[in-house]
């Protein structure tokens, strides 16, 4: 018998509806990230970007280790084991993959992204149904709007566990259903399950879940439903028990560090105008520039952590909804009897989340309005667990979206559905820069900042990696990135670490304390590698404690000291004493202040007003200087303090320095900060006491409108040292 004859028309429509709601978001996910994104073998996971480096490293270490209790514990990444709760590695999913034996084949971040796309659509459908929307077409259009919510797309730049907005949507659906039809045992069980799920995905989801559950409890009491005074306490105990049991099982007590206290509150808050102030809006030309979006607002962290722009389609929907509401009020229509009793708890919960999202430091657009006195002591420490509290507007935003879809869907069918479809198209167009940015982020793995030899050499396997300074003591973003990348290499090569990026700072040793072992050459049999990140310096500073060691090697961002490192690609040996306090230069040419130095021969611009250096112009830049008359047998060195020019996307400048037809060395000059780069002039090329001509070769020099100059590097200072 054919399938069509065994199923009714209604069943076929339900199956087709479910297929569209599930398959269409999966196709969108594939468009965004590639269909292989859940697999550990996907190209991106070879060297992921930003916080995803640490999330992936912790997960990979976790699945390779034996089970312990709590079941989320991972060892070897810090002096003490910690729970992967604090590395945002999506604990429930990590546990499931490890228990099933599929851990090595999947990346939990990519798998969670794939799961979240259809669940986002189903979550909005559940919320719309709880509000009374029955039209499948309206449900589909509402699901589409949920998939185009800017705050949800923005989380996909790297905070993958926070892409679980569907948890918030299901919590809202349960709260609305409970207010309308009662807090039944099934709904209490669903709240408990949702709270437990949120505990093992990301704790930030617990706050809106708690607000929705609290509103359901109060609504039950306010409406005086039968035995409410008995059911409400039992329901509260059930949900709290689910959270407490999950937290215990997941090791929330293992790896807790400082939260920042009052200083952290208000750091990442929502701008008062955040929901309506355009951010990454295609309609206003706020295009993706390779790192973020043009012409966006960024006071007080609002540009990302407090990102709450709702999109033009949503805002137009809100205008239409308000218009329909005003029309009803003018025509004399009033809320149904019991409306305020039923809905006041949920309204107050959403107002509370919105107020908390704005927090203690209040901005309206670029204007700083006022500060609210912050709590102190233990209360501040507890509240600052949620220091990025701008995220708490997600639930109110989704509820407003669902209410708007509900109101418009009540219009006559062609008009209501046509209007929703038009608003969906506006939202899709307006949010396209966000999708472009996310796609660009995942298009390629991060550029590797680890010396090439450390990625492949057997000499690196199964060794302890000792970092100084540690992750939470590092002062430089580039150094922090290197620590994270090296941590991933260490986990993949069987190494151990003394520091690791987690949600809470757990370093207990003061940053200025130096372990005496760091200052000594590694003894025979000592497999430790000491990695010193230099904070952009070539001598002194963090390098001072290892200055007398004879087993150290330079790389781009510092030195690595230890045995069996000779000959590794990307490492250059340094002599004892070379890393000591900065030597006085024989000659210093400052280019960040007038008058223009006569050492600049050709290929140089002029000092821009307020500039910190002079740009090279074109693909060659020539300068001259006098070689030291009394140089040693090793020649001399030239230190260049420079920054690379870049249009979008941001990328470094490849620079090679030549003299007498001889290449003296090459560097990738970063485009984010001024840093120091060293070139060695060997004795067989140097001309003691004579003027020498040097040429920067700048193959990546380029221009960016409206400036038509072809710029390479901005040079702040050139030093000559023995």
């Amino acid at each position: 018998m054919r399938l069509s004859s065994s199923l009714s028309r209604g069943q076929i429509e339900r199956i087709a509806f479910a297929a569209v709601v599930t398959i269409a978001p999966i196709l969108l996910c594939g468009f965004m990230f590639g269909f292989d994104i859940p697999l550990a073998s996907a190209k991106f996971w070879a060297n992921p970007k930003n916080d995803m480096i640490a999330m992936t490293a912790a997960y990979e270490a976790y699945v390779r280790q034996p089970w312990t209790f709590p079941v989320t514990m991972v060892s070897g990444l810090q002096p003490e084991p910690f729970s992967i709760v604090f590395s945002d590695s999506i604990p429930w999913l990590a546990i499931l993959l490890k228990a099933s034996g599929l851990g090595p084949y999947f990346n939990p971040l990519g798998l969670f992204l794939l799961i979240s796309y259809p669940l986002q659509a189903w979550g909005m459908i559940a919320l719309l149904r709880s509000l009374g929307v029955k039209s499948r077409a309206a449900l589909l259009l509402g699901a589409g709007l949920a998939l185009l919510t800017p705050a949800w797309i923005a989380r996909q730049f790297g905070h993958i566990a926070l892409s679980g907005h569907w948890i918030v949507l299901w919590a809202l659906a349960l709260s609305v259903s409970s207010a309308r039809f009662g807090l039944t045992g099934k709904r209490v069980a669903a709240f408990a399950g949702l709270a437990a799920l949120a505990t093992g995905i990301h704790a930030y989801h617990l706050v809106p879940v708690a607000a929705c559950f609290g509103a359901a409890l109060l609504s039950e009491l306010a409406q005086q439903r039968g035995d409410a005074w008995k059911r409400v306490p039992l329901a509260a105990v059930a949900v709290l028990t689910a959270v407490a049991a999950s937290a215990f099982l997941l090791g929330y007590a293992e790896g807790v560090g400082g939260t920042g206290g009052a200083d952290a509150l208000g750091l990442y808050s929502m701008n008062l105008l955040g929901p309506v102030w355009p951010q990454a809006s295609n309609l206003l030309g706020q295009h993706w520039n390779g790192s973020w979006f043009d012409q966006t607002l960024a006071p007080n962290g609002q540009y990302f952590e407090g990102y709450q722009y709702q999109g033009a389609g949503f805002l137009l929907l809100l205008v239409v909804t308000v218009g329909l509401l005003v029309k009803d009020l003018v025509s004399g229509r009033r809320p149904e009897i019991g409306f305020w009793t039923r809905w006041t708890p949920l309204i107050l919960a959403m107002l509370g989340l919105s107020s908390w999202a704005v927090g203690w430091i209040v901005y309206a657009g670029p204007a700083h309005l006022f500060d609210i006195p912050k709590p102190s002591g233990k209360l501040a420490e507890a509240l600052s667990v949620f220091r990025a509290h701008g995220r708490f507007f997600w639930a109110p935003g989704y509820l407003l979206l669902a209410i708007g879809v509900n109101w418009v869907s009540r219009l006559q069918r062609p008009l209501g559905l046509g209007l929703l479809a038009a608003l969906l198209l506006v939202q899709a167009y307006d949010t396209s820069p966000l999708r472009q940015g996310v796609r660009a982020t995942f298009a390629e793995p991060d550029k590797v900042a680890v010396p090439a030899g450390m990625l492949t050499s057997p000499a690196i396997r199964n060794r302890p990696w000792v970092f100084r300074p540690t992750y939470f003591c590092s002062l430089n973003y580039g150094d922090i990135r290197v620590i994270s990348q090296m941590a991933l290499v260490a986990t993949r090569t069987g190494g151990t670490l003394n520091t690791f990026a987690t949600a809470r700072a757990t370093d207990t040793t003061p940053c200025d304390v130096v372990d005496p072992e760091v200052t000594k050459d590694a003894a025979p049999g000592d497999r430790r590698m000491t990695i010193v990140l230099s904070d952009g310096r070539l001598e002194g500073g963090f390098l001072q404690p290892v200055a007398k060691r004879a087993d150290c090697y330079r790389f781009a961002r510092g030195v690595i000291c230890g045995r069996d490192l000779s000959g590794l690609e990307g490492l250059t040996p340094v002599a004892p004493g070379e890393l000591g306090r900065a030597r006085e230069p024989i000659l210093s040419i400052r280019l960040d202040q007038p008058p223009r130095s006569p050492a600049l021969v050709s290929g140089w611009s002029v000092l821009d007003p307020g500039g910190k250096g002079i740009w090279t112009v074109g693909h060659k830049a020539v300068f001259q200087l006098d070689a030291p008359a009394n140089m040693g047998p090793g020649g001399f060195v030239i230190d260049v303090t420079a920054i690379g020019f870049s249009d979008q996307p941001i990328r470094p400048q490849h620079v090679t320095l030549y003299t007498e037809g001889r290449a003296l060395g090459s560097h990738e000059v970063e485009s984010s900060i001024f840093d120091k780069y060293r070139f060695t002039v060997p004795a067989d090329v140097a001309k003691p006491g004579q003027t020498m001509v040097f040429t920067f070769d700048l193959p990546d020099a380029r221009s960016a409108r409206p400036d038509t100059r072809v710029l390479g590097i901005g040079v702040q200072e050139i030093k000559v040292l023995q």
Side-chain angles (χ1 to χ4, degrees):
M1 183 179 291
R2 290 183 303 172
L3 180 64
S4 59
S5 63
S6 62
L7 295 175
S8 67
R9 179 178 178 179
Q11 289 173 318
I12 292 173
E13 289 177 351
R14 284 194 294 272
I15 292 172
F17 176 79
V20 170
V21 173
T22 303
I23 295 172
I26 290 175
L27 294 176
L28 178 58
C29 180
F31 166 77
M32 294 289 290
F33 309 103
F35 288 101
D36 64 343
I37 196 66
L39 302 177
S41 58
K43 182 181 179 182
F44 180 79
W45 301 121
N47 198 43
K49 295 174 180 174
N50 49 63
D51 290 345
M52 291 183 285
I53 308 172
M55 297 171 192
T56 297
Y59 168 75
E60 292 189 9
Y62 169 70
V63 296
R64 293 189 182 107
Q65 295 177 8
W67 292 99
T68 58
F69 189 84
V71 294
T72 52
M73 299 304 290
V74 61
S75 302
L77 303 184
Q78 290 182 343
E80 298 293 333
F82 67 90
S83 169
I84 58 171
V85 161
F86 298 104
S87 61
D88 291 348
S89 302
I90 313 182
W92 285 137
L93 195 51
I95 292 168
L96 181 62
L97 290 172
K98 181 175 180 177
S100 66
L102 298 174
Y105 308 105
F106 287 92
N107 181 285
L109 308 179
L111 185 56
F112 192 77
L113 279 171
L114 180 65
I115 293 169
S116 291
Y117 267 72
L119 287 178
Q120 178 80 353
W122 280 112
M124 177 53 77
I125 287 171
L127 176 54
L128 290 173
R129 281 176 169 163
S130 72
L131 289 167
V133 179
K134 293 182 173 61
S135 166
R136 290 196 179 101
L139 292 173
L140 286 174
L141 292 168
L145 286 167
L147 289 167
L148 298 176
T149 299
W152 180 64
I153 300 171
R155 303 323 306 176
Q156 297 164 33
F157 278 104
H159 287 178
I160 305 304
L162 289 169
S163 299
H165 283 205
W166 45 272
I167 296 173
V168 178
L169 287 166
W170 283 100
L172 287 166
L174 282 172
S175 191
V176 171
S177 297
S178 298
R180 292 185 67 193
F181 307 115
L183 188 61
T184 63
K186 288 184 178 179
R187 292 192 179 98
V188 172
F191 264 123
L194 199 61
L197 186 66
T199 307
I201 292 178
H202 202 290
Y204 269 92
H205 296 312
L206 275 175
V207 175
V209 170
C212 291
F213 179 58
L217 294 179
L218 291 176
S219 181
E220 190 77 359
L221 291 172
Q223 295 181 77
Q224 298 181 357
R225 292 192 171 113
D227 296 326
W229 289 103
K230 295 180 182 178
R231 287 198 315 279
V232 164
L234 292 174
V237 169
V239 173
L240 288 173
T241 301
V243 172
S246 299
F248 176 70
L249 182 67
L250 295 169
Y252 265 77
E254 308 293 336
V256 175
T259 63
D263 291 339
L265 296 175
L267 184 62
Y268 300 120
S269 59
M270 183 181 81
N271 197 292
L272 271 178
L273 301 180
V276 299
W277 193 285
Q279 297 276 71
S281 168
N282 202 22
L283 286 169
L284 293 184
Q286 295 173 318
H287 301 138
W288 172 252
N289 61 27
S291 57
W292 196 240
F293 302 92
D294 296 327
Q295 307 172 46
T296 52
L297 179 72
N300 214 45
Q302 197 271 340
Y303 79 103
F304 186 72
E305 290 293 358
Y307 185 99
Q308 296 300 345
Y309 174 55
Q310 298 297 300
F314 171 93
L315 295 178
L316 289 174
L317 174 64
L318 196 61
V319 170
V320 172
T321 304
V322 172
L324 293 174
L325 175 61
V326 171
K327 178 184 175 183
D328 278 1
L329 292 175
V330 170
S331 65
R333 185 176 176 180
R334 294 294 181 264
E336 61 187 5
I337 296 174
F339 175 90
W340 294 110
T341 302
R342 175 178 296 163
W343 297 115
T344 295
L346 186 58
I347 293 170
L348 291 176
M350 296 302 105
L351 288 174
L353 287 173
S354 301
S355 299
W356 194 353
V358 173
W360 292 263
I361 302 176
V362 183
Y363 279 84
H368 180 200
L369 300 184
F370 55 87
D371 291 351
I372 297 172
K374 298 179 183 179
S376 59
K378 292 183 178 179
L379 178 59
E381 193 71 21
L383 289 174
S384 63
V385 167
F386 302 106
R387 59 183 180 270
H389 45 81
R391 302 166 180 173
F392 293 151
F393 188 73
W394 295 342
Y398 281 121
L399 185 57
L400 288 173
L401 174 61
I403 290 171
V405 173
N406 181 32
W407 274 74
V408 174
S409 68
R410 296 176 185 176
L411 297 173
Q412 291 184 353
R413 187 173 179 84
L415 176 60
L417 294 181
L419 187 55
L420 285 175
L423 294 173
L424 178 65
L425 291 176
V426 171
Q427 186 81 345
Y429 179 78
D430 194 41
T431 58
S432 59
L434 267 176
R435 290 189 297 282
Q436 180 189 359
V438 172
R439 290 189 70 203
T441 298
F442 281 82
E444 293 290 337
D446 199 12
K447 181 184 174 184
V448 179
V450 178
M454 302 189 75
L455 302 174
T456 57
S457 174
I460 302 301
R461 299 194 65 83
N462 303 313
R463 297 184 68 161
W465 299 55
V466 179
F467 290 91
R468 174 174 166 76
T470 57
Y471 181 89
F472 290 102
C473 290
S474 294
L475 307 174
N476 184 300
Y477 172 77
D479 291 352
I480 290 172
R481 176 168 163 261
V482 169
I483 293 175
S484 293
Q485 285 198 2
M486 285 187 167
L488 184 57
V489 174
T491 61
R492 290 174 173 174
T493 57
T496 60
L497 304 159
N498 70 319
T499 188
F500 190 79
T502 53
R504 299 286 175 262
T506 54
D507 292 343
T508 56
T509 303
C511 294
D512 57 351
V513 173
V514 179
D515 183 350
E517 293 297 314
V518 168
T519 66
K520 305 174 185 176
D521 285 2
D526 185 352
R527 300 275 294 160
R528 286 177 298 178
M529 296 185 298
T530 300
I531 301 100
V532 184
L533 287 308
S534 63
D535 190 27
R537 301 182 64 166
L538 296 171
E539 295 98 6
F542 291 129
L543 298 171
Q544 187 65 38
V546 298
K548 295 181 179 180
R549 292 185 64 156
D551 60 351
C552 293
Y553 303 79
R554 280 193 190 275
F555 71 103
R557 300 214 62 90
V559 300
I560 302 175
C561 306
R563 302 183 67 85
D564 305 321
L565 300 176
S566 177
L568 263 66
E569 182 182 355
L571 298 183
T572 304
V574 294
E578 182 180 332
L579 302 174
R581 298 187 184 280
R583 293 164 282 177
E584 287 296 322
I586 298 171
L587 172 68
S588 176
I589 303 172
R590 296 295 300 265
L591 305 184
D592 58 346
Q593 55 195 27
R596 177 187 170 93
S597 171
L600 305 183
V601 178
S602 63
W604 299 87
S605 182
V606 297
L607 181 64
D608 293 328
K612 297 181 179 180
I614 293 180
W615 290 106
T616 63
V617 179
H619 296 286
K620 305 287 183 184
V622 180
F623 66 96
Q624 61 187 19
L625 52 81
D626 294 334
N630 57 343
M631 73 181 69
F636 64 96
V637 297
I638 299 174
D639 285 354
V640 178
T641 304
I643 189 172
F645 172 79
S646 181
D647 53 2
Q648 302 299 336
I650 299 295
R651 53 206 187 277
Q653 288 277 349
H654 295 81
V655 179
T656 303
L657 184 62
Y658 289 88
T659 189
E660 303 291 331
R662 176 97 165 257
L664 304 180
S666 298
H667 291 285
E668 288 189 344
V669 178
E670 293 293 336
S671 302
S672 55
I673 57 171
F674 278 94
D675 219 335
K676 293 181 173 62
Y677 301 89
R678 175 162 290 178
F679 301 90
T680 300
V681 185
D684 61 336
V685 176
K687 298 178 178 179
Q690 298 185 29
T691 300
M692 299 182 65
V693 177
F694 298 86
T695 302
F696 283 122
D697 182 62
L698 304 150
D700 301 326
R702 46 192 172 264
S703 61
R705 294 179 180 178
D707 193 338
T708 59
R709 296 175 298 174
V710 179
L711 304 180
I713 58 175
V715 181
Q716 190 175 83
E717 186 176 19
I718 300 172
K719 289 182 179 180
V720 175
L721 301 97
Q722 285 283 11

